[in-house]
Amino acid sequence: MIGLRRGLVRGARISALGVHVPERVLTNDEISQFLDTSDEWILTRTGIRERRIARVDEAASDLGEIAARRCLESGLLDPTELDLVIVTTISPDHMMPATASIVADKIGATKAGAFDVQAGCTGFVYGLAIATAFVSANIYQNVLVVGAEVLSKMVDWEDRSTCVLFGDGAGAVLVQPTDNGSIFSFDLGNDGSGAAYLNVPAGGSRRPASFETVRKHEHAMHMTGSEVFKFATRTVVGSCEKVLGDADLTVEDVDLFVPHQANIRIIETAARRLGFTEAQVFANLDRYGNTSCASIPICLHEASQNGRLKKGDMLLMAGFGAGLTWGSCLTKWEL
Ligand code: ACO
C-alpha cells in the first residue's frame, strides 16, 4: 500500500463532500462601475469573470455550516458521530474563538473537538493532512474539514490590485478510515521569509487595531502580486513532483489536477511545467474568483458533478498562499 511509505498506520479517504456559495454574483463589469478597472483587465490578467459575495450578515461560519451539513447528509453521518471539526480559513468570524467551535456548535457536533487551521490559501490541504493523520493513526474515525471564506469582508474595495481577485464560499469533506489507503501522499511547505508579500498588516498583536490602522486600511489584505505569482508557480511544481515521486507515480498517472484557484495564469504555467494536458487540469475561478481555503473543495464538487472526476480516479490537489505556504495531496477519488 503506497500510503504506508509515509508511515500511515491505516488508510484514510475522503468519504463525503458538501459545498455552499452565496447567491449574489458580482461581475467584473459591476466592479468597474465603482473602481478604475475593466472586465478586459481582470479577465486577461486573472481569468476571473465573476465571484460570489456573502450577505452583510453572513460570516465564514454561516457558509461553513451549510457546506458541513451538506457533506454530512451526503455521507449519511449524524453530526454527533464527528470526532473532530477542523475549519481552515483566512477570514474567521473572530480572532477568538476559533470558527471551528462555532461551526461545530451550529451543526450539532456535540462530541467533537474543534480548532482552526491558518495556513493562508493552503489551509484546505493542511487541514486534510491533519485529518488524515488523526484517522490513519487510529485516533479518530470521523473528521470534518471545512474550508470557509468570506473574503469580500477582508479586502479593501478601493484597492483594485486585490479586491478583484477574491470571492466567498465554503466546502467541506469528511475523512474516514479505509482499507485501501486511498490518501497516498502529502507535501506541506512554508517559507516565512515571504510573510510580508501577502498579509493583513493590523489587528493582531504586532499592530493592534487603532484609529490609524483603520484609516490606513490595514485590516484588509495587502499583497505584492508579482512576488506571490513567482512563488506560486515555483512551489506548486516542486510540491507536486514530490508527492508524485513519493507515490512512485508520474503526471501520466493523474486523472485530474485540481490546483488552488488564484489566477488562471498561475494554473496554466504550473500545469505546463509539470507536463499536464489541458484535459487533466480543472479550473473554475472564472465563476468564483479566489475563494482561498474553499477553492479546492468547490472544484472537487463541480468536477464530480459534471463527470470530470470519477470514482477510482487519481486526483492531485495543490495549494499555495499566505505564509508563504504550499501543500499538495495525492489521493484516489472514492465518491
Ligand atoms: N484593473 C486595472 N489595472 C490594474 C488592476 C485592476 N484591477 N490592478 C492592478 N492594475 C494595474 C497596476 O496598477 C499596474 O499599473 P502600472 O503599470 O501603471 O503601475 C498594472 O496594472 C500592472 O500591475 P501588476 O501588479 O504588475 O499586474 P500583474 O500582471 O502582476 O497582475 C495580479 C497582478 C493579477 C495580482 C498577479 O500578480 C497575480 O495574480 N499574482 C498572484 C496573486 C495570488 O495568487 N494571490 C493569492 C495567493 S493565495 C492566498 O493566500 C490569499
Side-chain angles (χ1 to χ4, degrees):
M1 195 187 304
I2 304 168
L4 290 177
R5 283 180 51 144
R6 308 290 291 170
L8 300 185
V9 177
R10 65 177 176 173
R13 68 183 179 118
I14 294 174
S15 57
L17 169 69
V19 305
H20 172 65
V21 292
E23 272 177 34
R24 167 80 166 103
V25 174
L26 180 69
T27 65
N28 293 345
D29 281 333
E30 282 178 84
I31 296 179
S32 63
Q33 285 165 22
F34 61 84
L35 208 57
D36 181 16
T37 187
S38 64
D39 177 52
E40 196 268 335
W41 193 97
I42 300 170
L43 192 57
T44 51
R45 297 289 179 122
T46 71
I48 299 165
R49 293 176 190 277
E50 59 189 39
R51 70 287 293 142
R52 300 300 180 99
I53 303 291
R55 295 192 314 263
V56 177
D57 63 344
E58 276 179 321
S61 71
D62 299 314
L63 305 192
E65 175 195 358
I66 299 172
R69 283 188 191 282
R70 289 179 177 166
C71 176
L72 295 177
E73 275 163 27
S74 81
L76 301 175
L77 191 82
D78 190 274
T80 57
E81 292 180 77
L82 281 173
D83 299 305
L84 191 61
V85 175
I86 300 170
V87 170
T88 71
T89 182
I90 58 168
S91 49
D93 287 24
H94 311 281
M95 280 286 286
M96 185 183 75
T99 302
S101 298
I102 299 168
V103 170
D105 179 58
K106 281 171 180 276
I107 64 174
T110 50
K111 296 187 182 134
F115 59 85
D116 285 2
V117 169
Q118 218 280 41
C121 298
T122 321
F124 180 75
V125 178
Y126 270 67
L128 194 55
I130 296 165
T132 301
F134 270 109
V135 170
S136 299
N138 214 355
I139 297 170
Y140 289 137
Q141 305 287 321
N142 303 313
V143 181
L144 189 69
V145 181
V146 184
E149 302 284 12
V150 179
L151 297 164
S152 59
K153 298 188 188 183
M154 300 300 297
V155 294
D156 175 358
W157 284 99
E158 293 176 14
D159 175 6
R160 65 180 184 172
S161 67
T162 54
C163 73
V164 302
L165 304 174
F166 296 97
D168 302 338
V173 293
L174 183 63
V175 179
Q176 293 182 311
T178 173
D179 292 335
N180 299 325
S182 63
I183 293 180
F184 295 137
S185 54
F186 277 103
D187 173 56
L188 304 180
N190 171 63
D191 178 2
S193 69
Y197 291 139
L198 184 49
N199 69 0
V200 177
S205 56
R206 175 69 58 199
R207 199 156 160 71
S210 66
F211 288 115
E212 192 193 6
T213 60
V214 172
R215 188 175 54 78
K216 290 183 167 172
H217 298 210
E218 289 180 354
H219 296 273
M221 238 187 285
H222 288 235
M223 183 173 67
T224 310
S226 54
E227 292 298 333
V228 178
F229 194 102
K230 281 184 274 181
F231 146 80
T233 45
R234 188 179 68 249
T235 57
V236 166
V237 172
S239 185
C240 288
E241 286 173 343
K242 185 161 188 310
V243 290
L244 286 168
D246 284 346
D248 291 329
L249 298 175
T250 69
V251 290
E252 281 83 38
D253 298 305
V254 174
D255 295 295
L256 198 66
F257 174 46
V258 177
H260 168 48
Q261 307 284 299
N263 185 317
I264 194 68
R265 292 188 294 143
I266 294 176
I267 294 172
E268 287 172 354
T269 305
R272 192 174 56 247
R273 286 186 193 167
L274 281 160
F276 281 119
T277 63
E278 211 175 297
Q280 286 173 293
V281 183
F282 194 84
N284 66 5
L285 81 168
D286 57 324
R287 281 159 291 129
Y288 300 106
N290 178 349
T291 55
S292 187
C293 296
S295 80
I296 291 177
I298 288 173
C299 283
L300 296 180
H301 183 258
E302 186 173 318
S304 62
Q305 292 285 303
N306 68 17
R308 290 279 305 276
L309 186 59
K310 297 174 290 300
K311 189 169 179 156
D313 277 356
M314 187 63 70
L315 167 70
L316 177 62
M317 298 172 268
F320 57 88
L324 298 165
T325 58
W326 63 91
S328 303
C329 172
L330 187 67
T331 185
K332 192 160 263 193
W333 189 247
E334 293 197 7
L335 299 185

